[in-house]
Amino acid sequence: MNVPDSFLESLRQQVDIVEVVSEYVQLRKNGRSLTGLCPFHNERTPSFSVSPERQMYHCFGCGAGGTVFRFIMDIEGLPFAEAVAYLAERQGIALPAHFGVGRTASNPKLERFREAHALAAKVFNHILMNTDAGVQALNYLLSRGISRTTIMSYQLGFAPKPGNVLIPFLKRKGFSESELLECGLAVELGSAVTDRFRGRVMIPIADRKGRVVAFGGRAMDEGVKPKYLNSPEYELFHKSQLLFHYHLARKAIRKEKQALLLEGYMDVIAVQQAGIEHGVATLGTSLTEEQAHLLKADCDKVVIAYDGDQAGRKATVRAIDILEGVGISPLVLRIPDGMDPDEYIRANGATAFARLLNRNTLSVVQFLLDELRQGAQLVSAVGRTEFVRQALRILAERATPVEQEYELRNLSQEFNLSVETLKEELRTFSKQSKRRTFGRETSGSKTVAQPLARADQQASIRLLQAVLFSREAAEYLMEKGLTELAEPVQTALLSNLYAWRLENPDGSPSAFVDQLEDESLAHFASSLFFYEVPEFSTALLDDYLRALELHRLEQLHRSLLRQWIEAEAGGDEERSTEIKLQVEQIQDQIATLKQPRAIHAE
């Protein structure tokens, strides 16, 4: 990539990494850095740090790290050139001459797919709003309380039942049949290639940047299966990784500090029209872990407002587990009479739904107890006993002490049991729950306590920092002939640092990280920015060099001692004497290095 270093440095200084990362990760102040849950691996305890001062990020859990360029590369799956272009566009900065050509050429096929979908959305919307073919569909939407303003806002449309309308139009625009088949707008019927969607209300599905990449089509004729038909998956559309309305809802989700998770497109449109803007929906599938991670970047709470029927309640239970698995606290909206949100709003109005959202939201424990009650046989003594036991199990595994106290009193009153008896039984379930939890954590946890770094490892970190952050220190260490550090990865990074320093004596440390082609070295280099950087003096550098030499001599001393013992045991007096002299020399050198010296503050 032929981009001037001066442009990259200027862009790097103008982009605030905290602002960029905050669009994907909830960050909280922690000393001089900000921390959050890493977006690159599963974790419940934050190990992801961002330094506003040094404009770097690093995860101490999975090792991901680098500058804002690396973050966009990792989070959006872009090559370096496209990450630079993305950030320049975000800042409103013009790219250098000829840069745009390289960017477009990186994946022209995907740009064509986006263009085809954008045109398709306009065609479908025009048919709905301006032609006789769209009258029935338009009346249907208006009858459901969806206004013309909302229709235009969501670019809702209609695909006529005879079909073969969209494909001829797009072919006139220069798109080939193979392109339209590959991105899911066309389908082969016998020997003909025709429109995939026919006789359906069309709902555009956008990616995280608001670009149309797929459609959901709702059948107009009763009895047509499936009722909702989505575009097939291809490079730009993976149902498990997107949420409907997410690009529009993010701002409201961050403001409300929670999301409203709905089951269908029409539910989202209905609640948004009712003035509730933080609603999103899955794309015809159960909630996935990838979708939960999307939400986790913007909020810690999610209200699940699935349909109130049995299928909706089962889906709610699954969603609770997924959300809790990524560290989100779920709540559940109980909608009366088995209705879905769209039906409730049409029947009772927007104000009633807003009131329901405020008053009828249950905790997970309350929802699970309510779900348990739905299937309980409370008319029999055995059924009542089993219900109480299962309720206590839920309280033991999921409830806070306050919730336990509250629900125990309710159970006591309802079933005429003493609170003390219920608490005794609860303690039994609590012990069982703790044993199961302990077993899962000890067998499945990937995080183990790490031993403290050895003195030579710590010295190696400091020496790497010296070369990275100080030109004078780098020159001093090169003159001293330092070429090897405690660990192979440290030695490899030192070699790269020397080469970079020789070419860029006054280069920016951030620029060094960006030019590293080895991703593992780039991640390791980013960690150097998150240790305190001392004022490097020659005396301090000598101390670090001495720590390295001392460790090397101690290792050599241990090796010679083993050889000495083997020589004596084998009766080889000549070799034993030779090794003894070497041991004594090493001992003298170690003693010299360990002599007290002036303490240099870091």
Side-chain angles (χ1 to χ4, degrees), residues 585-601:
Q585 289 173 357
I586 297 296
Q587 287 174 336
D588 289 342
Q589 293 177 43
I590 290 174
T592 301
L593 288 174
K594 285 187 173 181
Q595 286 178 1
R597 293 176 180 270
I599 298 175
H600 306 283

Side-chain angles (χ1 to χ4, degrees), residues 177-485:
E177 288 184 350
S178 61
E179 284 180 308
L180 301 176
L181 285 167
E182 190 174 351
C183 70
L185 291 173
V187 65
E188 287 183 303
L189 291 178
S191 59
V193 174
T194 187
D195 298 357
R196 174 177 292 274
F197 296 99
R198 299 179 299 280
R200 292 177 181 271
V201 172
M202 299 301 292
I203 305 155
I205 299 170
D207 63 14
R208 284 189 260 180
K209 295 180 182 178
R211 300 171 298 191
V212 179
V213 295
F215 290 95
R218 201 271 188 197
M220 282 297 299
D221 295 339
E222 294 298 326
V224 173
K225 301 293 182 182
K227 183 178 179 181
Y228 280 93
L229 175 67
N230 281 339
S231 295
E233 295 201 346
Y234 68 106
E235 288 100 320
L236 294 176
F237 179 54
H238 299 283
K239 290 184 289 186
S240 65
Q241 298 172 13
L242 293 176
L243 289 164
F244 180 67
H245 193 244
Y246 178 70
H247 68 291
L248 295 173
R250 286 195 72 186
K251 185 177 180 180
I253 290 172
R254 296 176 74 82
K255 180 181 178 182
E256 298 286 337
K257 295 184 173 58
Q258 70 176 25
L260 180 62
L261 181 61
L262 300 148
E263 214 169 341
Y265 307 122
M266 291 303 179
D267 291 330
V268 172
I269 293 170
V271 301
Q272 195 277 337
Q273 191 171 259
I276 299 165
E277 298 181 348
H278 60 297
V280 295
T282 54
L283 303 175
T285 60
S286 299
L287 181 72
T288 67
E289 191 172 305
E290 293 95 330
Q291 291 166 336
H293 275 296
L294 278 182
L295 295 172
K296 181 59 184 173
D298 297 308
C299 63
D300 289 324
K301 290 184 179 179
V302 169
V303 178
I304 305 169
Y306 284 175
D307 297 358
D309 58 13
Q310 186 176 4
R313 294 174 74 88
K314 285 184 177 179
T316 298
V317 174
R318 290 194 297 270
I320 286 171
D321 289 336
I322 293 289
L323 292 169
E324 288 184 333
V326 302
I328 290 177
S329 299
L331 299 168
V332 181
L333 179 64
R334 182 166 55 191
I335 303 175
D337 303 322
M339 290 184 173
D340 61 36
D342 178 32
E343 291 170 335
Y344 188 87
I345 290 171
R346 279 188 282 146
N348 301 283
T351 303
F353 184 79
R355 188 164 52 245
L356 186 75
L357 193 57
N358 288 328
R359 297 180 181 177
N360 231 33
T361 300
L362 308 177
S363 70
V364 169
V365 168
Q366 290 171 327
F367 169 76
L368 292 177
L369 290 176
D370 186 53
E371 185 73 0
L372 181 65
R373 187 179 295 278
Q374 297 291 322
Q377 302 294 325
L378 298 181
V379 293
S380 70
V382 172
R384 289 193 296 273
T385 301
E386 182 60 21
F387 171 78
V388 171
R389 287 180 59 80
Q390 293 301 324
L392 291 173
R393 187 185 299 279
I394 291 172
L395 294 180
E397 293 178 351
R398 292 181 175 269
T400 65
V402 172
E403 284 180 310
Q404 287 180 352
E405 186 72 22
Y406 178 79
E407 296 298 341
L408 286 175
R409 293 185 183 279
N410 287 342
L411 290 172
S412 172
Q413 293 173 7
E414 182 177 0
F415 295 98
N416 196 27
L417 296 166
S418 71
V419 173
E420 290 71 22
T421 299
L422 292 171
K423 283 185 176 180
E424 182 62 33
E425 187 75 3
L426 178 66
R427 278 192 284 271
T428 301
F429 286 116
S430 295
K431 290 176 183 177
Q432 294 172 357
S433 176
K434 286 178 181 178
R435 282 197 295 270
R436 285 195 299 272
T437 301
F438 178 77
R440 286 196 300 269
E441 289 177 349
T442 53
S443 62
S445 176
K446 294 183 179 179
T447 303
V448 294
Q450 296 293 325
L452 293 174
R454 301 189 312 256
D456 64 315
Q457 293 171 329
Q458 293 175 336
S460 295
I461 291 291
R462 292 304 194 193
L463 291 168
L464 286 170
Q465 284 184 307
V467 181
L468 179 61
F469 292 106
S470 169
R471 172 183 175 178
E472 293 76 14
E475 291 173 349
Y476 180 78
L477 292 171
M478 281 189 270
E479 288 175 7
K480 283 283 188 178
L482 174 68
T483 58
E484 190 171 349
L485 297 176

Side-chain angles (χ1 to χ4, degrees), residues 118-151:
L119 287 171
K122 291 178 181 178
V123 169
F124 292 141
N125 181 254
H126 175 79
I127 292 171
L128 176 72
M129 301 299 291
N130 300 291
T131 71
D132 291 340
V135 169
Q136 182 187 359
L138 179 61
N139 288 335
Y140 163 76
L141 291 172
L142 294 174
S143 71
R144 293 190 61 156
I146 299 174
S147 70
R148 291 175 182 267
T149 301
T150 299
I151 290 171

